[in-house]
Amino acid sequence: SDLTVEGFDEFIGRAQKVAQTVARTSAEVTQATADFARMGYTVRESLALAEQALILVNVGDGIENVDQATQSIISTLKGFQMEATEASHIVDGLNEVANNFAVTTSDLADGVQRAGSTLAQSGTTYEETLGLLTATNEVLQKMEKSSTGLITISQRIRGVSEAFEDGEAPVNFTAKLGE
């Protein structure tokens, strides 16, 4: 970062406050902040994102460490082209769904990492993605299969849409869908 000595001292103070607030260590806050900073976020954004990642570690069943939480938040932010300020929405969504349905926070985070960007490209929102992943995983009980299936379905639907946009006849469409 481009922190000055004074800026670094201020960062350390803030990191210690965040660590105290979320009942984690200053080392974990610093590690998570550095991970977010490497992705191009400012120090201020990175510290706020680190706080959300540590909250996710605290509340997320199956989220074992700050690295897992950080990767989940980064992939969701990037996949859905969300702003850093929306990180609390990501954490809240994962936690709320996991608390109310037969899916773990870890499984949801994994599913969003696997399928999120593909679903986002087809116009599916973050919230809709959580719903789709939850509905399929409640039946299959295997997030890898659930997310792979949703990716395949999304790609096929996009192929169908492109076929009609290109003016292909329904006969060609059926053959293309078969392929």
Side-chain angles (χ1 to χ4, degrees), residues 56-64 94-95 98-99 103-107:
L56 184 56
V57 172
N58 289 344
V59 301
D61 50 325
I63 303 289
E64 302 295 328
L94 292 170
N95 189 47
N99 285 343
V103 63
T104 66
T105 306
S106 176
D107 282 345

Side-chain angles (χ1 to χ4, degrees), residues 11-166:
F11 167 76
I12 294 297
R14 284 185 176 173
Q16 289 172 340
K17 285 181 184 174
V18 168
Q20 213 171 17
T21 301
V22 297
R24 305 304 288 193
T25 67
S26 294
E28 289 174 308
V29 173
T30 303
Q31 176 190 349
T33 302
D35 289 345
F36 286 110
R38 275 193 292 277
M39 294 303 298
Y41 295 102
T42 66
V43 173
R44 183 176 301 267
E45 289 172 328
S46 296
L47 186 57
L49 289 165
E51 182 175 7
Q52 290 303 312
L54 292 166
I55 289 170
L56 184 56
V57 172
N58 289 344
V59 301
D61 50 325
I63 303 289
E64 302 295 328
N65 55 54
V66 70
D67 288 336
Q68 189 179 1
T70 301
Q71 289 172 3
S72 176
I73 291 172
I74 289 171
S75 67
T76 304
L77 289 171
K78 298 294 185 181
F80 288 94
Q81 297 179 353
M82 299 168 85
E83 298 295 322
T85 56
E86 297 177 86
S88 64
H89 179 67
I90 293 167
V91 173
D92 290 345
L94 292 170
N95 189 47
E96 182 68 22
V97 173
N99 285 343
N100 291 292
F101 297 95
V103 63
T104 66
T105 306
S106 176
D107 282 345
L108 275 176
D110 180 53
V112 171
Q113 281 182 276
R114 291 174 185 272
S117 63
T118 301
L119 292 172
Q121 289 173 359
S122 66
T124 307
T125 66
Y126 170 66
E127 297 78 12
E128 291 167 338
T129 298
L130 291 179
L132 289 167
L133 289 167
T134 301
T136 55
N137 194 63
E138 281 189 328
V139 175
L140 298 175
Q141 290 296 300
K142 186 147 180 91
M143 187 53 75
E144 185 176 350
K145 281 188 176 186
S146 298
S147 55
T148 300
L150 290 172
I151 290 169
T152 302
I153 291 167
S154 175
Q155 290 171 334
R156 295 235 173 114
I157 289 172
R158 281 199 321 237
V160 169
S161 297
E162 290 170 6
F164 280 109
E165 287 173 9
D166 291 342

